[in-house]
Amino acid sequence: MVDLIITDSNHVDVRSAADFTLDCAWGKEENDFELVMSGASTIDAGAYIYVDGSECGGVVDAMEDQLTSGVSTLTYSGRTWHGVLANKILEPDRGKDYLTVSGTASTVIGSLISRVGLDSVFDAVVPPDGSDGPTIKQYQFDRYTDCYTGLRRMCAANGLKLRLAYTSGQVNIWAEPVAHYGDSIDSDLIDFDATRTWRKPNHLIGLGKGDLAARTVVHWYADAKGNVSQTQSLRGVDEITQVYDYSNAETAELNQKTREKLQELQLQRLKKTINIAANSPYYKEVFSKNGITGDSIQSLDDIRKIPFTTKSDMRANYPFGLVAGDMKRDGVRIHSSSGTTGNPTVIVHSQHDLDSWANLVARCLYMVGIRKTDVFQNSSGYGMFTGGLGFQYGAERLGCLTVPAAAGNSKRQIKFISDFKTTALHAIPSYAIRLAEVFQEEGIDPRETTLKTLVIGAEPHTDEQRRKIERMLNVKAYNSFGMTEMNGPGVAFECQEQNGMHFWEDCYLVEIIDPETGEPVPEGEIGELVLTTLDREMMPLIRYRTRDLTRILPGKCPCGRTHLRIDRIKGRSDDMFIIKGVNIFPMQVEKILVQFPELGSNYLITLETVNNQDEMIVEVELSDLSTDNYIELEKIRRDIIRQLKDEILVTPKVKLVKKGSLPQSEGKAVRVKDLRDNK
C-alpha cells in the first residue's frame, strides 16, 4: 500500500501515514478531496497531502472530528491540485478584451501559473517522456475563466492533455500530446461516507454593466488572512475566487451586491459561532431561556434576539463557564484582563484562535505600511496582558525581525532602537511620550534613528496627543483598538489615511447601541461598542458590551478598503464621572491640556468632597518651565481653567506641579482618583 505524505504549509515533509482513506476527485465539476484518518495527530489547515509521483493530493482546508464509541475519526477536506487552480481566475490585461497566449506549452503554463500567484505550488515542466515541448498557437481564453478550466481547454484546443504530479516539493504540471481528450477526469481511490466541509470563496469578482474590456468589474476580498476590500492582498492557495455575473449592474449596485456576499459570510460564521457557543455552560443556559439556536438566526439583525454578554457575566462564570471547546484537547493558552479587584475576565484560546489572531494583527501592521523587512520593537508587557504576545506573533507572522523588549526600562528601549535599527515600535500613548522625554534626557535626537512607524493603543487618547507624539518622536503614529475579551490587539486599526479605524468584519460583528436603552443608534452617532466574535472556536463571545464609546464613520475610506470604520474611542461609559450634574470624560480634560506647550504629559484628576460639595482638582506637570516664575504660571493656570470650563462646563481647581512629581506609570496611565464620600 502506498504512503500518504503530509507536509507543512511550506511543502516541508512532516510525516507519512499508511492507515488512511482518501477520496480525490477532479475534472469538470469536482476538484476536491476527503481524507479520513483514525488515531493520528492532527493536520493543520494550509498543510499539503500527497501520494508521491501521482495526481492525488492537495491543500487541507478544514477538519471535522467525530467521536463514536470512544473512537476519534478525523475527516479532512480540501482542494486537490486541480481545485487550487480552479480557485484562480484568468483575467484579461487592463484595457484588453481577451487574454491571448503563444509559445511552448511549458513556458505558457509557467507564465499563467505565475500570473495567478501559484509559483510556490506549481512548477511548469516539459513532458517527462522527454519529447519536445508542444507549442501553443495564439490561444484566446474565455473572459474570467478559472485557471484550471482555462488550461484544460487550452490544451484540448491544441491536441494536448493537462497532467500533474507531485514530486520534489512541488506539483509538476505539463501538457503532453494525446490521441483523445475527455472533458472530465475523475479518480476515486476509495469511497466512504463523511460530512463534507467547504472552504468559502474569499475573492469575489462582480461583473456588471458593459461588454468586454469596458465592462464594470469590482473585486472584493474576504478572509482571515486578507482584507475585505478592493485592494488585493490574497495570494497563492489562500485565494479562492468566484465570479458573480450581475449583467447590467452599475458600480454602486455592484458594490452593494458584493457587500451582500460579505454579509452572507458573516451570517454563516455567526450561525457557526452560536452553535459552538451553545456547548458552554453559560451560553447553553442563555440560549435555552431565549429559544436561540443557529437556525433561529436568519439574518444579521436577528442577533438582537440574544441578550448582551457583560464583564459581570464573565466574572460571575469565572474561570471557564464560557468555554465552549475541549480545553484538555484543544486549549493552548489562557489570557486575562488587567484588574486589581474581583475576578478577572479570562479568555481561553485554541491553536485556531491564536492563528486567526496572529493573522489579524499581521494584516493591521501591513495596512500601515510595515513589511517583513522592518524591525518591529514591542514595548508591551508580556504575560497575561494580551498586547505583548498579540503584537509579537502578529509581527512574526508578517515576517518582521521582532524585538520583544517588553514594558519599561526606557533607556534600554532607546538602546535597542539605536543598536537594532528599529523601524517600527508599539507603545501605549502615555509611554510613547515618556519615551520621547527620555530621548531628550539622554541627548539623543529621535530623527537620527531609523524609527519611522509607531503603533499606539490600549489607552483612549486624543488626536492632539497623537500629533504631539508624532512631533516628539518624528514618526507616523497609527491608532489601534483591541481588548482581551476580543483576543487583544488587532480588532480594528487605522490605515495610512488616519481617518478612522477599519474593523475586520470577517471576524467581528459590530453594533453601536445606546448605553442606557440597549437599542441601536443611527449610523454616525456616538454609542457603546458591542462586539461578537465570528472566528473564535474555544471561547466565542456574543454581543459583548465593551463599554467603549465610539461611532461608525459614514462614507468610504480613500484607501479603498471597504471594512466599516469606527472613530477613535471617545472614552468608556464606565470611565465617565459625574460632578455637579455634568458627565465628564478624562479625554475632555486631556484635549485641553495637550494644547499648552508649557505642560508635560502627565496629569491627574482628583475628585473630593469638600464642605459637602464635590470638587474637581486637576494636577498637571510642567514641562521645562520654572516653577518660580509666578506671574507666568498664574497666567497659564487661568487660561487652562477658562478653556476647561468651556469644554466641560465645570470650573475645576488647577494645580501646576513640578515635572516628575506625579506618579509615573509605564503601563496604562491612571488619570482619575475618586475620593468622594458619595462615590
Side-chain angles (χ1 to χ4, degrees):
M1 184 161 180
V2 298
D3 284 347
L4 180 76
I5 309 299
I6 302 159
T7 83
D8 60 18
S9 58
N10 296 315
H11 294 272
V12 177
D13 291 355
V14 174
R15 58 189 171 91
S16 62
D19 185 13
F20 65 92
T21 304
L22 178 65
D23 182 4
C24 287
W26 56 83
K28 189 174 182 180
E29 302 295 336
E30 295 182 285
N31 289 285
D32 61 341
F33 70 80
E34 290 179 338
L35 169 67
V36 176
M37 303 178 70
S38 299
S41 57
T42 59
I43 304 173
D44 295 332
Y48 299 94
I49 62 150
Y50 68 92
V51 176
D52 199 28
S54 79
E55 289 185 86
C56 300
V59 59
V60 174
D61 289 329
M63 180 191 79
E64 289 199 1
D65 189 356
Q66 297 175 341
L67 188 65
T68 305
S69 300
V71 178
S72 175
T73 301
L74 302 177
T75 301
Y76 299 92
S77 58
R79 292 157 288 159
T80 60
W81 310 123
H82 314 73
V84 171
L85 290 169
N87 290 139
K88 297 289 189 175
I89 302 296
L90 292 172
E91 303 178 46
D93 294 323
R94 184 179 296 272
K96 302 290 185 179
D97 293 335
Y98 298 98
L99 175 64
T100 305
V101 295
S102 294
T104 60
S106 58
T107 302
V108 170
I109 293 172
S111 174
L112 295 171
I113 293 297
S114 177
R115 187 183 185 93
V116 297
L118 290 174
D119 311 66
S120 63
V121 181
F122 295 90
D123 183 24
V125 299
V126 299
D129 61 10
S131 61
D132 293 335
T135 301
I136 307 295
K137 299 179 181 178
Q138 289 294 316
Y139 180 77
Q140 180 177 283
F141 289 96
D142 294 338
R143 302 186 80 245
Y144 294 97
T145 186
D146 72 84
C147 190
Y148 182 54
T149 301
L151 287 172
R152 288 172 57 244
R153 289 180 177 175
M154 178 190 75
C155 290
N158 289 273
L160 304 171
K161 180 178 180 178
L162 188 69
R163 297 294 307 276
L164 297 90
Y166 191 102
T167 57
S168 304
Q170 279 196 308
V171 183
N172 288 338
I173 182 169
W174 69 93
E176 63 183 27
V178 293
H180 171 75
Y181 179 77
D183 286 336
S184 180
I185 308 170
D186 286 302
S187 176
D188 294 314
L189 300 181
I190 303 172
D191 292 324
F192 67 96
D193 291 327
T195 302
R196 191 175 288 267
T197 57
W198 299 94
R199 183 163 177 177
K200 303 298 179 183
N202 51 35
H203 176 196
L204 309 177
I205 300 178
L207 302 180
K209 189 175 182 181
D211 296 319
L212 301 177
R215 189 166 191 181
T216 300
V217 180
V218 172
H219 298 263
W220 278 60
Y221 301 86
D223 184 71
K225 296 183 179 179
N227 295 321
V228 179
S229 70
Q230 291 170 301
T231 304
Q232 188 172 355
S233 57
L234 297 165
R235 295 289 189 273
V237 295
D238 292 324
E239 186 177 346
I240 303 176
T241 308
Q242 189 164 335
V243 177
Y244 296 91
D245 192 341
Y246 296 113
S247 300
N248 291 316
E250 300 282 359
T251 301
E253 184 184 1
L254 201 58
N255 271 317
Q256 179 57 38
K257 289 182 179 292
T258 46
R259 174 77 184 176
E260 291 169 1
K261 294 295 177 182
L262 169 62
Q263 291 171 340
E264 287 177 13
L265 174 67
Q266 286 185 305
L267 183 58
Q268 282 174 350
R269 289 188 168 183
L270 177 59
K271 289 183 174 187
K272 180 181 178 182
T273 295
I274 290 170
N275 288 332
I276 293 172
N279 295 317
S280 73
Y282 173 75
Y283 282 117
K284 183 178 181 179
E285 182 178 353
V286 170
F287 293 168
S288 177
K289 287 181 178 178
N290 294 274
I292 302 296
T293 65
D295 292 336
S296 67
I297 306 298
Q298 297 300 312
S299 70
L300 294 177
D301 288 338
D302 284 346
I303 196 172
R304 293 204 289 271
K305 297 177 181 178
I306 305 173
F308 295 113
T309 303
T310 66
K311 188 180 289 282
S312 297
D313 294 324
M314 297 187 68
R315 286 174 170 168
N317 289 273
Y318 174 90
F320 305 131
L322 278 79
V323 173
D326 187 334
M327 284 186 59
K328 291 185 178 180
R329 190 186 68 180
D330 298 321
V332 297
R333 192 191 299 169
I334 295 175
H335 278 288
S336 74
S337 64
S338 57
T340 57
T341 60
N343 290 329
T345 55
V346 170
I347 300 294
V348 184
H349 295 282
S350 68
Q351 189 59 54
H352 166 88
D353 300 338
L354 294 181
D355 289 340
S356 177
W357 181 16
N359 287 328
L360 287 171
V361 177
R363 75 165 79 162
C364 292
L365 299 179
Y366 190 91
M367 185 166 58
V368 300
I370 298 172
R371 298 293 185 266
K372 65 180 299 181
T373 52
D374 279 289
V375 179
F376 183 90
Q377 186 165 320
N378 189 13
S379 68
S380 279
Y382 287 71
M384 302 301 278
F385 177 58
T386 58
L389 288 170
F391 276 108
Q392 178 76 27
Y393 284 102
E396 288 180 355
R397 179 63 57 88
L398 189 59
C400 300
L401 179 60
T402 308
V403 184
N409 201 334
S410 302
K411 293 182 180 180
R412 188 181 66 168
Q413 298 278 359
I414 293 172
K415 181 175 177 57
F416 287 168
I417 292 171
S418 300
D419 295 349
F420 301 159
K421 308 300 181 186
T422 300
T423 56
L425 174 70
H426 169 245
I428 61 176
S430 55
Y431 183 64
I433 291 179
R434 174 59 186 155
L435 194 64
E437 293 172 346
V438 178
F439 263 111
Q440 187 177 11
E441 292 167 5
E442 294 295 303
I444 301 173
D445 188 347
R447 292 174 297 180
E448 296 177 356
T449 71
T450 51
L451 198 61
K452 61 181 182 180
T453 304
L454 180 68
V455 175
I456 52 178
E459 292 174 341
H461 60 281
T462 62
D463 203 42
E464 290 82 2
Q465 188 179 4
R466 187 253 293 279
R467 288 195 291 270
K468 180 179 180 180
I469 292 170
E470 289 183 328
R471 290 193 303 270
M472 293 177 75
L473 288 175
N474 192 44
V475 294
K476 199 76 169 174
Y478 296 99
N479 192 16
S480 65
F481 171 78
M483 59 191 327
T484 299
E485 294 87 343
M486 291 294 119
N487 293 342
V491 181
F493 230 79
E494 281 186 322
C495 64
Q496 291 178 305
E497 297 291 331
Q498 294 182 301
N499 62 349
M501 294 178 286
H502 290 277
F503 231 103
W504 304 126
E505 292 183 84
D506 54 333
C507 294
Y508 300 98
L509 192 62
V510 179
E511 300 173 77
I512 306 291
I513 66 166
D514 184 312
E516 299 298 325
T517 67
E519 294 298 313
V521 302
E523 184 177 297
E525 290 190 10
I526 292 177
E528 181 183 339
L529 181 66
V530 175
L531 296 177
T532 298
T533 63
L534 297 178
D535 193 35
R536 202 162 72 194
E537 296 180 345
M538 180 59 64
M539 190 175 165
L541 287 181
I542 299 170
R543 303 199 79 197
Y544 183 73
R545 295 190 64 164
T546 68
R547 300 296 179 183
D548 288 313
L549 299 175
T550 184
R551 65 187 180 111
I552 293 176
L553 294 175
K556 295 182 179 179
C557 183
C559 78
R561 294 176 177 85
T562 49
H563 279 295
L564 65 81
R565 291 171 297 140
I566 64 167
D567 205 351
R568 64 175 53 251
I569 303 300
K570 304 298 184 183
R572 291 178 57 85
S573 59
D574 50 3
D575 281 347
M576 180 189 76
F577 58 90
I578 301 174
I579 189 165
K580 299 182 180 180
V582 179
N583 297 343
I584 299 175
F585 293 94
M587 286 184 66
Q588 292 176 278
V589 176
E590 181 179 289
K591 178 183 177 182
I592 300 302
L593 298 180
V594 77
Q595 297 176 22
F596 289 82
E598 301 90 349
L599 303 180
S601 59
N602 209 9
Y603 69 94
L604 178 66
I605 301 168
T606 303
L607 308 175
E608 295 180 339
T609 303
V610 181
N611 298 325
N612 296 317
Q613 294 288 322
D614 287 347
E615 296 287 348
M616 175 179 171
I617 302 100
V618 179
E619 295 176 273
V620 56
E621 291 183 356
L622 292 163
S623 178
D624 293 318
L625 193 67
S626 171
T627 54
D628 297 328
N629 193 335
Y630 178 78
I631 295 175
E632 189 171 357
L633 290 179
E634 185 62 16
K635 181 179 180 300
I636 295 169
R637 192 182 69 85
R638 290 181 179 276
D639 284 345
I640 295 171
I641 293 173
R642 177 178 53 79
Q643 291 195 34
L644 282 175
K645 184 180 179 181
D646 291 342
E647 175 68 25
I648 63 177
L649 307 178
V650 171
T651 304
K653 293 181 179 178
V654 174
K655 297 181 180 179
L656 304 181
V657 300
K658 187 178 180 181
K659 183 179 179 180
S661 61
L662 293 178
Q664 182 72 51
S665 174
E666 293 189 328
K668 291 184 181 180
V670 177
R671 297 304 192 191
V672 180
K673 188 163 61 174
D674 196 343
L675 305 177
R676 292 177 292 179
D677 298 337
N678 61 344
K679 65 178 181 179

